[in-house]
Amino acid sequence: MALMSLPDAPSRPDLVDHLVRTRIAGDVATPREGNLRHYRELSQGNLRFWLGLDLGDRWTDPADVLAVMAERAGVVADPAHTHGQDRIDPELTVDGLDRMAVELRKAAESGQRVLVATGHPGGLLEVHSRTAAALRAAGCDIVTVPPGLRTGEGDDGSYGNVQQFCDVAVLERGATLWHTHAPQPVRQILDALERAGEAPPDLVVADHGWAGGAAQRGVHAVGYADCNDPALFLGEAEGTLAVAVPLDDHVTDPGAYGPLTAYLLAAAGLELP
């Protein structure tokens, strides 16, 4: 697989404009009804929406979840807005990228052991693969996924083989890379590393249950999350997850994430591979 050709890193205003034009942020395709339904499901204890985090009984009021999402992702704060357009604040997206860049810079400066993973390969695979390549070039040890790992039924019905593609851990089933919210794949990796006597990652760069499941195990983790996936933002609010970057995690053209990736790597002081 050839990596996309990255553009030069945009300025913050140019990136904000790009995010809005491509609907990675701004008025996103994720409908308000879906967002509110997911907030309710999480608050009612549906583990599929916890993304591997243990949220206990701390978020049983959907209004509290909405308040955090308005603060950290920029969705419409008014609970009376129940249908139609919702949004992600592009300024908050860039703020999240800046926070993630700090963690990547630390990892590069100290040659950390890093696991990069995605449950959203259709949208974010190249973002993650570029990040992994840049970290490897800077001297980080990119964790190799142990062979032969397979998940059972996940909280979202996901199962398959845990594999690695372009230095990114993914779930594979039937020769296809799968979209999954489940934390089981990252748990399988962490358990296998422990059985093999290998050190756990110092940092996990991921999304969905890959990020949440790692963070719940006490691994320092950063991740991307859509406005209909509130768990990672709650994890960040509680301090379990280091960084949650709000964005639409599957726009029509995966190449639209190129300027975002270039900005992130430049902010982290990493060379564009």
Side-chain angles (χ1 to χ4, degrees):
M1 172 184 169
L3 293 176
M4 61 186 174
S5 177
L6 283 183
D8 292 336
S11 66
R12 182 184 180 109
D14 285 347
L15 179 58
V16 166
D17 178 68
H18 173 79
L19 295 174
V20 172
R21 284 189 291 103
T22 57
R23 301 186 73 183
I24 293 173
D27 289 341
V28 293
T30 313
R32 178 67 167 190
E33 300 93 313
N35 284 347
L36 296 181
R37 180 175 64 83
H38 285 205
Y39 303 169
R40 288 193 300 272
E41 291 280 357
L42 179 146
S43 67
Q44 291 167 4
N46 186 335
L47 296 183
R48 179 178 185 274
F49 296 87
W50 287 20
L51 303 183
L53 293 166
D54 183 357
L55 301 177
D57 58 359
R58 300 183 297 280
W59 299 98
T60 56
D61 188 343
D64 292 338
V65 179
L66 174 59
V68 171
M69 293 304 295
E71 175 190 6
R72 293 181 178 266
V75 303
V76 177
D78 184 0
H81 177 56
T82 58
H83 294 81
Q85 183 66 56
D86 213 337
R87 67 187 308 275
I88 292 173
D89 186 339
E91 296 288 350
L92 293 179
T93 302
V94 183
D95 287 347
L97 292 171
D98 287 339
R99 295 195 304 277
M100 184 179 284
V102 171
E103 301 300 332
L104 298 183
R105 182 184 291 271
K106 290 178 183 176
E109 289 176 347
S110 56
Q112 288 183 5
R113 184 166 163 80
V114 183
L115 174 66
V116 183
T118 186
H120 230 304
L124 299 180
L125 180 61
E126 290 221 45
V127 177
H128 286 300
S129 62
R130 279 288 185 179
T131 301
L135 289 170
R136 181 185 289 279
C140 287
D141 175 16
I142 303 301
V143 172
T144 298
V145 172
L149 300 183
R150 181 173 174 82
T151 68
E153 291 290 335
D155 295 333
D156 62 352
S158 297
Y159 64 93
N161 302 307
V162 184
Q163 297 191 355
Q164 200 159 23
F165 191 67
C166 293
D167 274 340
V168 182
V170 292
L171 183 68
E172 181 271 339
R173 178 182 173 193
T176 302
L177 304 186
W178 273 68
H179 170 229
T180 178
H181 290 77
Q184 280 80 359
V186 76
R187 293 172 182 165
Q188 289 273 10
I189 293 173
L190 296 176
D191 288 345
L193 293 174
E194 183 176 5
R195 288 194 301 270
E198 293 188 37
D202 300 302
L203 175 68
V204 169
V205 183
D207 49 64
H208 283 184
W210 294 91
Q216 190 60 46
R217 285 285 189 93
V219 179
H220 199 66
V222 299
Y224 301 97
D226 209 328
C227 56
N228 63 355
D229 290 328
L232 295 191
F233 298 101
L234 301 183
E236 183 186 37
E238 292 189 331
T240 309
L241 187 81
V243 178
V245 180
L247 47 66
D248 186 321
D249 53 17
H250 196 164
V251 296
T252 304
D253 176 14
Y257 295 102
L260 176 153
T261 308
Y263 178 92
L264 171 68
L265 298 183
L270 299 174
E271 296 290 333
L272 301 182

